[in-house]
Amino acid sequence: GFIHPHLSGAVFLVVDRKQKIPRPSLACPQWAQPVFVLQQRNGDYLCGFCSLQNGSLILRSGLPGIPKLLRLRNRVEAEVVGKVVGMVRRLE
């Protein structure tokens, strides 16, 4: 799976498991959209800006070498775990 670049260095994510419907915030620019954790059917986790469109989860990647948009069938190929509401970073 991949982790969104804004979360690099995070050792712990706080996820609100009640917020399972990813909706883009019209009041926020693209870089400030909510981040969601998804779990694929093979058990891998993905994390990034996400929206739900016509039964598909659209995950936006900011990582080189990974497609900019990843389209997964909701509840078939992946499921929303919840919205990231906080994180703990490692002190360096």
Side-chain angles (χ1 to χ4, degrees), residues 10-53:
V11 293
F12 185 80
L13 294 178
V14 179
V15 177
D16 182 347
R17 295 178 62 95
K18 292 181 182 179
Q19 294 190 46
K20 292 185 177 262
I21 301 174
R23 293 185 180 101
S25 173
L26 299 176
C28 294
Q30 175 117 5
W31 60 267
Q33 293 295 316
V35 174
F36 286 84
V37 175
L38 308 180
Q39 184 175 21
Q40 293 182 287
R41 289 295 172 220
N42 65 5
D44 287 347
Y45 288 92
L46 305 170
C47 187
F49 301 134
C50 183
S51 61
L52 182 60
Q53 298 174 5

